[in-house]
Structures are given as C-alpha cells and as structure tokens.
Amino acid sequence: MESINLYRYFKRLEAFEVGHQHAVTLSDVAERFFSSPRHTRSILKHLSQAEWITWVPRAGRNQRSTLIRLLSEGEVKRRIASQWVKEGKYDRALEFLDNDQVAFGQLLQQTSGAKITEGRVNVQLTYNRPLTRLVPHIPHRNSERFLNRQLYSCLVSMDKAGELKPDVAHHWEVDPSFQVWTFYIRPSVFFDNGDRVDAKTIKSLLLQLQQHRYYANELDHLESIDVKPPYVMTINLSRPDRGFAALLTDLKYSIQPPEQLAQNDRNIVGSGVFSLNNHSEQVLSLVANEQYFGLRALTDNVTIWSLDGSIEKVTERDAACAHRVSPTIKRIEPSSRSTISHPAIDFDQNELLSATSRARIEDGCLFLLFNQYGRALTYPQRRWFSETLCGENVWHQLTLDQRTFGAEIASNFFPFWHNVKRIHTAQPVDLPETIQIAFYAHPGVLRSADAAKKILERQGVKVELNLYKFHEFIEKAMAEGFEEELIMSSLNLDDNRQVSALLFFLSDPVLHSAIGKQASDCLISEIDKIRASSKPSDYLKQLEQLGSLLIHEGLASPMFHHRQTLSFHGILKGVEITTWGWPQLRDVWSVD
C-alpha cells in the first residue's frame, strides 16, 4: 500500500496515546477505518510492517486485541517525507510537511550525500543562505566563486605550482616583447545551450569586460584583438605583460556569452563541466554538461538546498556562512559536510581525528582596513587600533564570549607568508571618542566585529557597528566608498592562487576604496611592474613585500585565517576538499 494512503488510515488512530497498550476489537478498528474487517486486517499488517504500530491480534469473536501506536503523527509524516526526499520528490515532501521549512530543512540535512538512482549519481547538499546569480563578471563570496568554477571554463587554467595548462585554448604563444599574445581555440567547444565558442566570441567578451570598472586595473593595457576565424585570436597590449595568459585563468575571465553581461536572469549559460538546471531562492540544481569538451563529470546531478536561517537558530546577521553545523540540530550520518566552524564546539574529537574528516587553513584571512577617506585616523591611532584589535586580543574576547569559530591567528594576509611583527608602542595616543566599523554579513566577521566593539568600549571608545549585505558592501566600495573609519573584510584565494592573490591587491574594490589614492596608485604601479617582469609562478613571492607594506603602513591588519573542514563518512568516494572548502563535485561517485 502506498505510504500516503497508509498514513490516512494511521491518522484515524490518533485517539490512541503513543506508547501505551490499548485493548480493542477488530470491529472497533474497522469502524474507525470505515473498512471491512478483512481489509482492516490488511491495513493493520501494513502499519505493523512500517513499524508505525504494534498489533497483537487475539483469536475469537469479540476478543480484544492489543494495539500500540509507536509513533506520533508528526514522526510518521517526517518518515514519509524523508523517503520522498531520498527519491528526489522535494516538492511533494515539502507540501506534505505543510510547507514547514524547518522540518523540511532538517530532513534535507539528514539525507544529504551521494546516492545512485536509476544508474545516475545524485548529490544533495544543504546551504544556509540563498546563492546569488552565478555570473563571473561581478565580485562574489567564496561559495559562489566555487560554483562559478563548476559552470564555466577559462581560456587557460593554472595548477597549484602556478604553471599554465590548456583549457579552451589548446595552445598559446607570445612574442619576445610580451605584448602580442596569440591563442589557438579548440574546435567544437560549445556553451551548454549549444552555441559555438570561437575566437570571435571570446574577442567580443574581452572587449566588453574591458569597459567594466571591475576590470579597469587589469585590462587598461589591452589595445586591440585580431581574429583569424574561427579559432585563432591575437591580443595586442600597450606594455609588456609576461603573465597575461595567466590572468585569463581567473574566475572573472570565465567564458560566457557576451550578451549575458547585460542580462540579470538567474538562468545563465555556461561552458563548464556542469550546466545550470534550476536556480531559485530555495534550490540550485546542476547537471553534468554533456557538451563539455573535457572529461565528463562523474556526478550526474547536484542539488543544493538553501535552508531557512531559522533552522540553525541564527539571526539575519549570523545567517551567511556556508555549511555551518548547528549545535541545535541532531546530525544523523550526513555523507558530506563542509564547515567553517570551531571544531572544539561543533565536532567530536573522534570525528576530527578520523580518516573521513579533512581540514585545511584557507589561503586568505579576515582582516581590518583603516579608511583613508573621510575622518581618517592618524598613523599613531592606526598603530594603536591595529595593536589593540590584533588577532590574539580579539580571540581572547571571543573565548570569553564563547563565540569562537574555526580559525588561527593571522600575522600576514596568507598563512604561508612570513609573520609581520608588531612593535609595541608605549607612547600615549589621543583616541577618537567614537568609531564606526563597516562589515558584511558573515558569522566570523560578525563575531569579530562584536568582540572588537567590546574591546574598544573598555578603552573608552564608543563603537557603532554597521552591517551590510555582501552585495551592498561591494556596491558601496565601488561607488561612493565607506564613511566608517574601520572596515572588516576577508579574502580567500581561488585555485589559481598566484593570479588570485595578484588580482586581490590589484583590483579588490574594498581594499582600494579604503587605503587612499596614493597607496592605491602605488600598489597598482608596483603590481604592473611585477606583471611585466615576473613569471606567474613567482607572483606570490613578489607580492609578499607589498602585503607586508600595507601592514607596516597601518593601512591593513590581518586577524584570522579560517579553518575549513570537509567531513564525510565513507559514502562519498574520491572526494577532496577544494580551496573554497567545498567537495570536488565533479569527482563524486557512489556505490549501492
């Protein structure tokens, strides 16, 4: 009997208290079921097999049998809905739960993982905020950048050592001046809508990107692009750029239809290993791109549910971090869970030490910027604030507040750079009476901002915290800039680490909106020199002195490196944690 029909009969037993023995006759139950005695026996048998009740019949006319209702109505509904979720019948499950987002979210978390349905590998994940439109030409948070990498390809790619690898372009060459770059495009490369990707398409895309402010510091030397149809493209630069091909490995140079730059539709067209099937406020679904020119993904379908923030008992100010494990929700063997959290609070130690949990420190940090526009702080004041709000002090306050998260103290922008020592100043400093701190909605940033406020107010400085949504934070940086004296932000490098780091210092809108025109111009000039003379594999080494300079000048102060943890329990096979803290979706496979 179908579960929904069985449930309708079960509801008619609601008068019997759960967990108690009840002496009833078969005719009594048949009357409740509006059914014949024979059919009632069949229904009771199915209910017993489903383990919703215990039925002990007694032989003989008018003999009283024993009925024990094992589950409440709500528990039965969750069991049925859980089975439908496993079968991918999400709409039916949500409707059956009376659109209870909290209960539905709990079921999604409990059933997350990889499974095979009709020979296809399906991965289901949960996420605790809606995912924004997935296009590469606007700044994104960490998770959206990861998903963009799944949906788009680039002209070339980069390995961990900073060496270039073919992607959409199978070959490239440059003249001795490093000003003329020629790329040879693979034949038979298509967007996931079936349109061809050729040299003309990529030329149009690059010329349109050049007009965007987000690309101004990177493409100001692009003079012209010549195309020899259909697959040869020559780019002419006004000055040497030894790493121009490496620049095109970045997510923001992902290959998309040029006309998509002027659109606002969530249903995008990509060129990557996955294509977008559906994107709403509640759910994002990806399918393996059958037209992808490279190795097809092992995974056929990926469904990512954006859960209501109330599921994790967080406020709007907290509800922004990917994959955070909630202490208020019982974890029932999820197959994969990527968290930015505090292991001492959120994980059992045995789980942390198991072979199925892997952790990494992100290639980036949470940092403080000292705004050089508006009511700028003096250099002695900036040194004082940097010292007072160093990672050690903020962490101590977080510990007192019992609000720590997975992190390590940062002394530079990246954990692999040398520590920048802070020289303690004993000189008295005139402090402002009030200070404003701008930050965006992310739990680690929020908690650090609250801790900073408590530290400063103990020193007699009144603090106003100004929270922005991420897109508002970026838009403000790219438009009028911030009025706040302190700005709290974060960065995390993508899989092309060397170029990703270079583009942060060259083009990050928040960084350049705060450090002042003189420092911004100097930074751009120095990076242009690096681009002209250095191999991309040397970028990180060359950039370290510039990052250290920003810290010494009192313009930036790194605080924490996030700890990212990917846990799975033998259900996902061949999965590695990526630089974004997500599992490598294209390589997920499963067995029955």
Side-chain angles (χ1 to χ4, degrees):
M1 182 179 293
E2 189 179 357
S3 57
I4 186 64
N5 292 330
L6 199 60
Y7 166 73
R8 295 190 181 105
Y9 287 109
F10 178 81
K11 280 188 66 177
R12 296 170 188 172
L13 300 176
E14 61 185 354
F16 299 103
E17 188 175 354
V18 175
H20 289 260
Q21 292 187 14
H22 301 276
V24 294
T25 64
L26 181 64
S27 59
D28 290 338
V29 178
E31 187 176 339
R32 290 179 181 274
F33 284 171
F34 300 101
S35 177
S36 67
R38 181 177 179 180
H39 187 47
T40 297
R41 289 192 186 94
S42 176
I43 296 170
L44 291 170
K45 179 181 178 181
H46 285 297
L47 288 171
S48 297
Q49 290 173 343
E51 298 182 348
W52 297 356
I53 69 167
T54 295
W55 173 253
V56 183
R58 297 281 296 275
R61 182 180 297 275
N62 295 324
Q63 290 295 313
R64 292 187 176 272
S65 301
T66 300
L67 172 68
I68 305 173
R69 198 155 65 103
L70 301 176
L71 301 174
S72 66
E73 180 185 342
E75 289 170 325
V76 170
K77 290 185 72 173
R78 284 192 289 274
R79 282 196 179 189
I80 296 171
S82 177
Q83 183 58 42
W84 285 343
V85 166
K86 291 176 182 178
E87 296 170 0
K89 301 174 182 177
Y90 301 110
D91 292 340
R92 190 178 185 185
L94 181 57
E95 182 180 2
F96 186 61
L97 292 171
D98 303 317
N99 292 303
D100 184 338
Q101 294 285 344
V102 173
F104 184 60
Q106 290 173 338
L107 289 182
L108 289 172
Q109 289 179 324
Q110 293 168 10
T111 57
S112 288
K115 42 189 148 316
I116 294 180
T117 305
E118 297 179 353
R120 296 175 65 83
V121 178
N122 301 296
V123 173
Q124 176 189 295
L125 302 172
T126 58
Y127 194 81
N128 62 359
R129 65 172 174 86
L131 293 157
T132 58
R133 182 174 180 245
L134 297 172
V135 287
H137 57 274
I138 59 176
H140 282 296
R141 293 180 60 176
N142 202 47
S143 294
E144 280 83 356
R145 296 204 309 276
F146 165 76
L147 291 167
N148 271 320
R149 196 57 114 190
Q150 315 308 306
L151 291 168
Y152 300 94
S153 298
C154 288
L155 206 57
V156 290
S157 61
M158 177 178 281
D159 64 19
K160 292 180 179 180
E163 299 298 326
L164 298 183
K165 302 293 182 183
D167 205 354
V168 171
H170 64 86
H171 180 70
W172 56 93
E173 56 193 26
V174 62
D175 75 332
S177 71
F178 294 106
Q179 291 183 246
V180 181
W181 288 81
T182 302
F183 296 88
Y184 299 86
I185 313 302
R186 295 178 188 274
S188 300
V189 176
F190 298 91
F191 290 114
D192 55 37
N193 66 352
D195 292 346
R196 185 178 295 275
V197 177
D198 56 18
K200 184 179 177 181
T201 302
I202 299 173
K203 172 186 175 178
S204 177
L205 176 62
L206 288 174
L207 291 178
Q208 289 188 45
L209 292 177
Q210 189 182 27
Q211 306 306 312
H212 282 237
R213 183 179 174 186
Y214 186 37
Y215 295 80
N217 296 342
E218 304 155 26
L219 296 180
D220 60 331
H221 61 335
L222 195 162
E223 278 193 335
S224 63
I225 302 177
D226 301 320
V227 168
K228 183 179 179 181
Y231 301 122
V232 181
M233 178 179 68
T234 299
I235 298 176
N236 303 292
L237 307 177
S238 61
R239 63 175 184 270
D241 188 345
R242 191 172 179 178
F244 184 77
L247 176 73
L248 302 181
T249 67
D250 199 71
L251 283 165
K252 63 194 297 187
Y253 292 95
S254 299
I255 295 175
Q256 59 176 318
E259 59 272 16
Q260 193 161 271
L261 274 65
Q263 299 170 353
N264 292 308
D265 192 354
R266 282 179 179 264
N267 297 316
I268 55 87
V269 174
S271 55
V273 67
F274 288 100
S275 59
L276 184 67
N277 183 52
N278 180 38
H279 189 183
S280 67
E281 287 288 316
Q282 293 77 34
V283 65
L284 173 79
S285 62
L286 312 178
V287 296
N289 182 6
E290 301 294 347
Q291 301 198 68
Y292 180 59
F293 62 88
L295 294 175
R296 184 194 185 276
L298 298 176
T299 310
D300 295 285
N301 300 285
V302 178
T303 304
I304 303 171
W305 284 90
S306 300
L307 305 183
D308 191 312
S310 62
I311 294 170
E312 299 197 15
K313 307 296 182 184
V314 293
T315 66
E316 179 184 354
R317 293 173 65 180
D318 278 327
C321 185
H323 308 292
R324 191 165 62 85
V325 177
S326 168
T328 63
I329 293 179
K330 183 178 180 181
R331 293 182 276 109
I332 303 181
E333 292 297 325
S335 60
S336 173
R337 187 173 64 256
S338 170
T339 67
I340 298 176
S341 51
H342 190 264
I345 295 175
D346 293 331
F347 290 102
D348 296 331
Q349 289 301 313
N350 290 336
E351 182 178 333
L352 279 173
L353 296 174
S354 75
T356 57
S357 293
R358 301 182 187 180
R360 67 183 298 274
I361 296 299
E362 69 174 359
D363 293 333
C365 70
L366 189 159
F367 59 90
L368 198 62
L369 291 173
F370 298 92
N371 194 359
Q372 298 304 291
Y373 296 98
R375 195 176 67 131
L377 300 172
T378 65
Y379 178 69
Q381 288 175 331
R382 298 200 303 272
R383 283 190 60 186
W384 183 89
F385 276 96
S386 179
E387 205 173 293
T388 303
L389 299 180
C390 66
E392 290 88 345
N393 291 345
V394 174
W395 187 261
H396 177 69
Q397 183 64 52
L398 289 168
T399 303
L400 293 176
D401 296 339
Q402 296 186 340
R403 300 189 73 198
T404 53
F405 53 94
E408 290 186 2
I409 305 300
S411 297
N412 210 324
F413 285 98
F414 305 115
F416 46 81
W417 278 0
H418 294 91
N419 291 346
V420 176
K421 300 296 184 182
R422 304 172 190 267
I423 301 176
H424 176 71
T425 175
Q427 297 279 341
V429 177
D430 290 329
L431 299 176
E433 293 183 1
T434 62
I435 200 89
Q436 295 184 80
I437 303 177
F439 61 102
Y440 70 92
H442 177 289
V445 180
L446 167 67
R447 295 180 187 187
S448 299
D450 284 341
K453 177 178 181 179
K454 292 181 179 180
I455 292 169
L456 294 178
E457 290 188 339
R458 283 201 298 268
Q459 301 292 331
V461 180
K462 186 177 179 181
V463 178
E464 178 182 326
L465 297 180
N466 296 331
L467 171 68
Y468 297 89
K469 294 180 179 178
F470 182 75
H471 71 89
E472 296 171 342
F473 192 68
I474 295 298
E475 288 170 0
K476 193 169 184 66
M478 298 182 74
E480 72 273 15
F482 296 94
E483 300 83 19
E484 294 87 350
E485 294 87 353
L486 303 182
I487 302 164
M488 202 172 284
S489 189
S490 65
L491 79 133
N492 183 35
L493 299 184
D494 297 317
D495 53 359
N496 58 333
R497 296 196 315 163
Q498 290 80 358
V499 172
S500 185
L502 182 135
L503 292 183
F504 167 74
F505 290 106
L506 180 62
S507 298
D508 183 76
V510 177
L511 177 71
H512 284 271
S513 73
I515 61 176
K517 187 177 187 309
Q518 182 178 0
S520 178
D521 291 345
C522 176
L523 200 56
I524 293 170
S525 176
E526 292 299 318
I527 291 175
D528 283 343
K529 294 176 184 177
I530 293 173
R531 296 171 70 189
S533 60
S534 298
K535 296 185 298 183
S537 56
D538 293 333
Y539 280 173
L540 282 169
K541 181 179 178 181
Q542 298 294 327
L543 290 168
E544 183 171 359
Q545 59 182 329
L546 297 179
S548 299
L549 181 64
L550 291 176
I551 299 170
H552 281 300
E553 289 296 318
L555 299 175
S557 181
M559 301 168 69
F560 302 116
H561 304 298
H562 273 118
R563 181 187 297 115
Q564 300 168 326
T565 304
L566 176 66
S567 299
F568 46 96
H569 300 270
I571 298 175
L572 298 183
K573 307 293 185 181
V575 177
E576 296 291 337
I577 185 171
T578 65
T579 187
W580 303 276
W582 283 70
Q584 187 60 274
L585 295 176
R586 65 188 297 168
D587 295 332
V588 175
W589 60 282
S590 182
V591 294
D592 288 322

